[in-house]
Amino acid sequence: MTTPAGVAERLTSLVGALRAHGVRIGTGESVDAARAIGELGLADRELLREGLAATLLHGPGQRQVFDPVFDLYFPRGVGGPGQRAAGREDLR
């Protein structure tokens, strides 16, 4: 399965933000995360959260950084199927 371009950009941004917060993520983990998105899809946000955490994180201590960053890049219900596009206020 392939990852749609918009989702790939979100994933790349998520990885960049996690790296900026000190989480060491290599290209292999990034590729695994993209494959996880392709397999898990976007319908179940919590399943996606767990899949990305499993592929990107190296220990439980990194989870406290991952969860809020994930929420920024994959917000609940914003821009989902059948919904209006998110505006600036929605993302705040």
Side-chain angles (χ1 to χ4, degrees), residues 28-61:
E29 287 95 347
S30 298
V31 170
D32 290 345
R35 288 181 179 153
I37 291 172
E39 292 299 321
L40 298 173
L42 301 172
D44 185 335
R45 184 171 176 266
E46 292 309 311
L47 181 63
L48 178 62
R49 177 192 302 270
E50 295 306 316
L52 291 180
T55 59
L56 296 173
L57 304 182
H58 298 284

